[in-house]
Amino acid sequence: EDGYRLWLRYDKITNAQVLTSYKTSITELVLLGNSPTVTASRKELQTGLSGLLGIQLPEATTVTREGALLIGTPENSPVIASLNLTTSLQAIGKEGFLIQTLKVQGKNSTVITANSEVGVLYGVFHFLKLLQTHQNIQKLAIQSSPKLTHRILNHWDNLDRTVERGYAGFSLWEWHKLPGYIDPRYTDYARANASIGINGTVLTNVNANALVITPAYLEKVKALADVFRPYGIKVYLTARFSAPVEIGGLKTADPLDPGVKAWWNAKADEIYKYVPDFGGFLVKANSEGQPGPQNYGRNHADGANMLADALAPYGGIVMWRAFVYDNKVPDDRAKQAYTEFVPLDGKFRDNVLVQVKNGPVDFQPREPFHPLFGAMPKTPLMVEFQITQEYLGFSTHLAYLSTLFEECLDSDTYAKGPGSTVAKVIDGSLHAHKISGMAGVANIGTDRNWTGHPFGQANWYSYGRLAWDPYVSSEAIADEWIKMTFSNEAAVVNPVKQLMLHSREAIVNYMMPLGLHHLFGWDHHYGPGPWIKNKPRADWTSVYYHQADSLGIGFNRTVSGSNALSQYFPVVREKFSNPKTCPEEYLLWFHHLPWDYTLKSGKNLWEGLVQHYYMGVDSVRGMQKTWNSLEGKIDADRFAQVQQLLKVQEKEAILWRNSCVLYFQTFSRRPIPAGYEKPDKPLEYYEKLEYKFVPGI
Ligand code: BDP
């Protein structure tokens, strides 16, 4: 059992009762047409049903018996057109679907229909999921449509096939063999994405290489787009802002220069010749050394609009990232995006979305929501989540990230009073935007199981589910993922679900509890390095973020400090400004507090901090116990793999705990309270380890 099949396993249902009932309800397949998308639906159904039910379903051109599965759009199926579903179909838009139990030609049938063939494909995957998770399919009345228009994976893949912050092997895109050789894995990638409703993929790293928009590469991009198209997935590329100079031979990339505009217009014409439904560009500009409009004294809107104008005739979009920082805001890097972008609200073209990371710093194990959400009412904002675990233990530690995504989506910005959640900002409902989106930095690579850690698959899965519907709970998502991936047995589902739901908090606790952030070793984002200081830039050191001293610890972002809090709406600002009302999980994000500050538990800050670090390790031990109890209930291969990884995780959780507790103790000058196992080595030992930790990553 190598995990390659992800959640689309389709093993035969072993519960005899369930199997019998499905076999009576599903007796023939009526699916007309042979377009690439219809063929994809047919193949998925044949594979899925023959696997799950162990039968080859007969195909018919019209409903001939009880238990027919009638699938199609009103356009490609006259029977469906005759069913009078117009009102329901009108309500679900281009990509939604209906699954209904209906009498068709006098026979009980299950109808899967939509306004587009891709909508039907989504319905087919949903129907298969019902079977995979053993749902009752007797009286179905399902209506589902995506709440966001753009549900996109961001691959940080380089043209040499290395993946920035990728921990699951190399890039899936075999550039050197494309377009001649089409790896069958591309189709499986598309199937997996379509099964969760992802409808776009950015193939290349945000730290972009202009080569990808030259003809030699566009041919390869076209080959990938051709594979993905039947699955409703559009291809996007990252645009290097200096491309007109680097590959176009121009002297400038100034977005207001007529020659530069003409160059991008011609480039768009060229790209659309290869890929007629090209999705558009994702751009990282003027951040971490990337070129951008500010190099020419222009702003982000000038840059984004120039590209947007080039793509507009073809319906393409620009996703312009708000992840920007440099030395311009010396007191607090967390403030820069808001400072640069809020004044530009209303200045972007209609086909521009501003893509904002979930928190104001950088994908930390926990961050408060980004203050830009709600603060740019005239601009559609996308949220960018990191599915790859750059700061949460790579593909070694088990972290179910859905709870992190959910925490951000559920956060109330108060932009238009209570209930103005991040979810409502990004689905466009709060400020009535026509386009909306979510971006997830992919955790996928050439590893046989795609994501390295078997539970990394759950993060890809939950990302897609939340992009379709940002209001689903992490618990519900975990439930269906476990059933599809491991087992429908309650004795597996319940413990694994608990393990998953608490896994991210365990990491927060042993790495950086109570709002601490960015305590990683130098030059990698894996092991502990709370002592990192004196580097070329202050905001690349840990001491900048934790500010520990003999009096206390934490980053003062209140009015007496960097005042980053001023960027939030008043209700949030007030709540976070007062340490007594600030949720304790964000306490040291916003406040510098004395070591003897009293926490809600009654413990002082030092004791509370120590307690969290120890709880983190305890939780990992708890996860191990849970996992070990599943031996024999799931396949031996994945059982052993996770078991081993959890052992590594435990060792590294202890390393994190001991490093941080011993280091912070040099400031607090207080003992580790009685009852806790004491670190077995002195601080110097851990400090030296840091340099050996995953060198070069
Ligand atoms: C940081 C990563 C860096 C990315 C950057 C980004 O460390 O590799 O290039 O984000 O999002 O998290 O642009």
Side-chain angles (χ1 to χ4, degrees), residues 1-11 132 185 187-193 195-196 443-444 447-454 456-458 460-461 481-486 638:
E1 182 54 70
D2 60 14
Y4 181 83
R5 292 178 297 164
L6 297 159
W7 48 88
L8 302 175
R9 294 158 55 76
Y10 307 140
D11 280 344
Q132 289 175 282
R185 196 165 187 165
T187 304
D188 288 330
Y189 165 86
R191 288 175 51 232
N193 281 324
S195 77
I196 46 178
N443 61 345
I444 311 164
D447 274 10
R448 184 66 191 158
N449 73 0
W450 303 83
T451 56
H453 200 301
Q457 297 180 356
W460 180 8
Y461 184 86
W481 179 79
I482 298 165
K483 288 177 175 163
M484 289 192 277
T485 307
F486 287 114
R638 289 181 301 170

Side-chain angles (χ1 to χ4, degrees), residues 175-361:
W175 294 111
H176 57 300
K177 290 189 196 155
L178 284 165
Y181 176 70
I182 304 294
D183 189 332
R185 196 165 187 165
Y186 301 147
T187 304
D188 288 330
Y189 165 86
R191 288 175 51 232
N193 281 324
S195 77
I196 46 178
I198 286 173
N199 67 357
T201 181
V202 184
L203 299 175
T204 45
N205 193 354
V206 285
N207 299 319
N209 186 335
L211 271 184
V212 79
I213 49 171
T214 58
Y217 273 91
L218 288 174
E219 257 187 72
K220 301 167 192 280
V221 170
K222 168 188 166 27
L224 289 173
D226 290 344
V227 178
F228 301 158
R229 187 170 300 109
Y231 292 88
I233 298 165
K234 281 190 182 176
V235 156
Y236 298 75
L237 294 171
T238 44
R240 186 154 167 87
F241 204 77
S242 49
V245 177
E246 289 172 25
I247 56 167
L250 302 192
K251 293 227 159 44
T252 175
D254 180 349
L256 300 192
D257 180 284
V260 173
K261 286 187 191 183
W263 189 87
W264 280 110
N265 290 345
K267 184 48 77 182
D269 297 341
E270 187 182 11
I271 295 175
Y272 280 94
K273 285 206 180 85
Y274 288 92
V275 185
D277 56 353
F278 177 65
F281 292 132
L282 167 65
V283 189
K284 170 176 178 177
N286 295 118
S287 172
E288 296 186 328
Q290 293 297 309
Q294 293 174 351
N295 297 28
Y296 307 95
R298 316 296 184 194
N299 63 36
H300 292 292
D302 297 327
N305 291 344
M306 171 199 57
L307 295 174
D309 289 343
L311 299 169
Y314 303 97
I317 59 159
V318 171
M319 295 166 285
W320 191 269
R321 295 178 89 223
F323 177 70
V324 292
Y325 72 93
D326 53 28
N327 287 328
K328 273 191 271 174
V329 190
D331 64 335
D332 190 355
R333 163 176 158 181
K335 292 197 301 192
Q336 189 161 341
Y338 183 101
T339 313
E340 281 187 26
F341 277 84
V342 168
L344 300 177
D345 190 28
K347 304 228 161 88
F348 291 97
R349 297 282 191 267
D350 287 350
N351 57 335
V352 176
L353 296 117
V354 170
Q355 182 168 314
V356 184
K357 285 189 182 180
N358 59 289
V361 169

Side-chain angles (χ1 to χ4, degrees), residues 583-697:
E584 281 191 348
E585 57 264 34
Y586 305 132
L587 201 57
L588 304 179
W589 184 283
F590 291 116
H591 300 276
H592 186 84
L593 295 171
W595 291 110
D596 57 10
Y597 173 83
T598 309
L599 295 169
K600 292 200 179 89
S601 64
K603 291 189 191 307
N604 69 36
L605 180 56
W606 165 249
E607 290 164 356
L609 191 66
V610 172
Q611 185 190 31
H612 275 281
Y613 274 110
Y614 277 81
M615 267 175 3
V617 172
D618 287 349
S619 308
V620 178
R621 290 179 177 148
M623 283 157 68
Q624 287 181 295
K625 234 170 127 188
T626 305
W627 190 256
N628 290 341
S629 75
L630 298 170
E631 186 158 18
K633 297 200 180 87
I634 58 171
D635 58 277
D637 295 329
R638 289 181 301 170
F639 175 79
Q641 191 183 359
V642 174
Q643 189 180 46
Q644 289 181 52
L645 289 169
L646 282 171
K647 273 192 199 147
V648 180
Q649 186 172 353
E650 186 205 4
K651 217 170 115 199
E652 293 176 351
I654 295 172
L655 183 70
W656 263 99
R657 179 196 73 190
N658 291 354
S659 302
C660 293
V661 168
L662 289 172
Y663 170 75
F664 290 131
Q665 193 177 31
T666 64
F667 299 99
S668 78
R669 299 184 180 281
R670 289 159 198 241
I672 296 175
Y676 292 120
E677 63 189 23
K678 298 285 175 295
D680 55 349
K681 305 266 185 347
L683 177 61
E684 299 70 52
Y685 167 85
Y686 294 104
E687 284 177 340
K688 283 202 195 93
L689 262 194
E690 185 259 317
Y691 294 100
K692 282 196 251 155
F693 227 100
V694 280
I697 297 184

Side-chain angles (χ1 to χ4, degrees), residues 156 164-165 206-207 284 288 321 323 357 362-363 384 386 390-391 525:
W156 284 359
E164 177 146 348
R165 314 304 179 183
V206 285
N207 299 319
K284 170 176 178 177
E288 296 186 328
R321 295 178 89 223
F323 177 70
K357 285 189 182 180
D362 190 9
F363 297 140
E384 176 178 323
Q386 198 178 38
E390 174 179 356
Y391 294 99
H525 292 156

Side-chain angles (χ1 to χ4, degrees), residues 364-399:
Q364 296 304 292
R366 169 164 282 127
E367 296 193 28
F369 69 91
H370 201 301
L372 270 177
F373 293 116
M376 295 182 66
K378 298 189 193 121
T379 313
L381 299 189
M382 296 171 79
V383 63
E384 176 178 323
F385 290 123
Q386 198 178 38
I387 311 171
T388 189
Q389 293 170 228
E390 174 179 356
Y391 294 99
L392 289 104
F394 294 2
S395 56
T396 310
H397 296 200
L398 193 163

Side-chain angles (χ1 to χ4, degrees), residues 394-435:
F394 294 2
S395 56
T396 310
H397 296 200
L398 193 163
Y400 176 49
L401 296 182
S402 187
T403 52
L404 185 161
F405 306 154
E406 188 182 7
E407 187 174 291
C408 170
L409 293 166
D410 286 353
S411 298
D412 200 341
T413 67
Y414 283 85
K416 282 173 90 178
S420 308
T421 58
V422 172
K424 285 193 189 158
V425 173
I426 59 115
D427 75 5
S429 61
L430 193 70
H431 297 120
H433 290 298
K434 284 204 197 76
I435 51 175

